[in-house]
Amino acid sequence: RGTAGGGGAAEEGASAALPSLERLGLGGNRLGSEGAAALALAALGQPGRALELDLSMNHVDHQPLAALVAWAEGVPEGSEVSVTINLEWNVIDDGKAVLALAEAFGRRGLRPPSGTGGADAAWPPMLRLANNELADVEPAEIAAASCGLVTC
């Protein structure tokens, strides 16, 4: 039982012992673009917290990419990002939106967490877009513009 003051040492110790969510697999749930954007932005509310968010096969189009650009423009330059978002196997088909997102990530200097070895390590990209309808996108250009944080 807690006190009127907001909990005691026992409650604080119990909350510290709770496991944290590291992977949220929501692939194939027909979340749509609005649902995907809301979940991605919620996950990025704590960009330094390690979380893999799987939003693959959810009928997502290019609309959430604009929300991610706005998020990137609002975070401090050089921020460490431990969140990875999987948007593979959706219906994203706007190459210009993908390039704008990659460039926003690159401009802000977003990077994987310290101690991961940077580009040489096996740290996953922040955003995976493979198997979408991006015929007009050159994957190497996207990877270079985003400093490796976006792959297609």
Side-chain angles (χ1 to χ4, degrees):
R1 287 190 289 217
T3 64
E11 284 184 18
E12 290 174 15
S15 66
L18 293 175
S20 64
L21 180 66
E22 294 178 0
R23 184 175 192 286
L24 183 56
L26 296 172
N29 281 296
R30 297 180 186 231
L31 296 171
S33 296
E34 287 182 28
L39 287 165
L41 291 175
L44 290 168
Q46 294 182 332
R49 182 173 174 252
L51 175 66
E52 181 184 347
L53 179 60
D54 181 2
L55 300 174
S56 62
M57 298 182 283
N58 271 296
H59 304 278
V60 176
D61 63 17
H62 66 275
Q63 294 174 352
L65 302 183
L68 293 175
V69 168
W71 171 84
E73 297 294 345
V75 297
E77 203 166 311
S79 292
E80 292 183 357
V81 180
S82 298
V83 175
T84 62
I85 302 170
N86 179 356
L87 282 171
E88 297 175 327
W89 295 100
N90 279 291
V91 292
I92 299 169
D93 62 356
D94 187 343
K96 290 180 183 177
V98 172
L99 182 58
L101 177 64
E103 289 173 342
F105 284 5
R107 264 193 317 275
R108 300 305 295 167
L110 303 178
R111 57 193 172 84
S114 302
T116 61
D120 298 331
W123 192 258
M126 182 182 159
L127 183 63
R128 296 191 310 260
L129 296 170
N131 299 305
N132 276 282
E133 299 172 10
L134 295 168
D136 59 338
V137 168
E138 178 57 45
E141 179 184 7
I142 299 301
S146 68
C147 300
L149 292 174
V150 179
T151 61
C152 0

